[in-house]
Amino acid sequence: NGYTAEVAFDGHLIDDWEGLEWHCRSIAGAFGESVLPVVGVVEVEEELVEATHLVAVGMHITELLDHVEEDWMGGRAYIPVEVLDRHRISEDTGGPAEFPCRWHNAIREVALMADTLLDETTTLVRRLPRRAGACASSWAEVHRARLRRITSGSNLRKSAS
């Protein structure tokens, strides 16, 4: 297998949190920002754009975590190398099915960051039109529920069977 940690843009490993955030901002953050006028935002303020990006990053990290086993088997890893190293995961380690404890701890660490980023939803609720704010709040809760499922280890147990 060997983890090559493909990133959509340049094929380099994601070394650290900043690299993961850049990757997610480039995909989900840009999309979130482009939706602001569609949901009725007339004046796009810096604080709203930043909150939109942070929530989108949290949501995208959740999506990435939900597919760790599948990505690993395909030679991709979106968990930063610094996290993989901290939990003694390398290209020779094997996937989540073979070493569930190491992977669970690495996934949990990244999930905590995603959950923290989702806290910016409070800024969105304050700054977005009412319906859009309610929608953002609901989506954040959906992603938090996914993070709880992911960190419960159920996705690792499923792939081990």
Side-chain angles (χ1 to χ4, degrees):
N1 166 30
Y3 75 102
T4 57
E6 295 173 2
V7 176
F9 301 106
D10 57 13
H12 288 78
L13 290 168
I14 296 174
D15 293 321
D16 52 25
W17 288 111
E18 290 169 355
L20 179 59
E21 183 178 349
W22 178 86
H23 170 73
C24 294
R25 277 180 183 262
S26 299
I27 297 169
F31 175 77
E33 186 176 345
S34 71
V35 171
L36 291 175
V38 175
V39 299
V41 175
V42 178
E43 286 188 42
V44 180
E45 300 170 2
E46 180 82 22
E47 181 184 25
L48 178 58
V49 170
E50 182 61 13
T52 300
H53 276 264
L54 292 174
V55 171
V57 167
M59 290 180 176
H60 193 66
I61 289 172
T62 303
E63 183 66 30
L64 294 173
L65 291 177
D66 214 5
H67 301 283
V68 167
E69 175 80 14
E70 176 184 330
D71 286 336
W72 184 264
M73 298 312 290
R76 298 176 303 277
Y78 295 98
I79 294 176
V81 171
E82 69 180 10
V83 175
L84 295 174
D85 288 347
R86 193 168 21 261
H87 296 284
R88 299 179 333 207
I89 298 169
S90 71
E91 61 184 300
D92 301 322
T93 302
E98 293 95 328
F99 292 92
C101 290
R102 290 182 192 180
W103 278 98
H104 179 75
N105 291 334
I107 289 167
R108 185 169 170 73
E109 181 178 336
V110 176
L112 288 171
M113 176 59 78
D115 188 63
T116 300
L117 292 166
L118 292 173
D119 287 343
E120 282 298 316
T121 304
T122 56
T123 302
L124 294 182
V125 170
R126 282 195 335 266
R127 299 283 188 178
L128 289 173
R130 194 171 62 97
R131 282 187 160 161
C135 183
S137 181
S138 295
W139 271 108
E141 288 310 308
V142 166
H143 282 76
R144 282 198 159 111
R146 287 177 73 191
L147 287 170
R148 285 190 297 275
R149 179 187 50 77
I150 291 165
T151 57
S152 74
S154 62
N155 62 327
L156 298 180
R157 283 192 296 277
K158 177 179 68 183
S159 61
S161 56

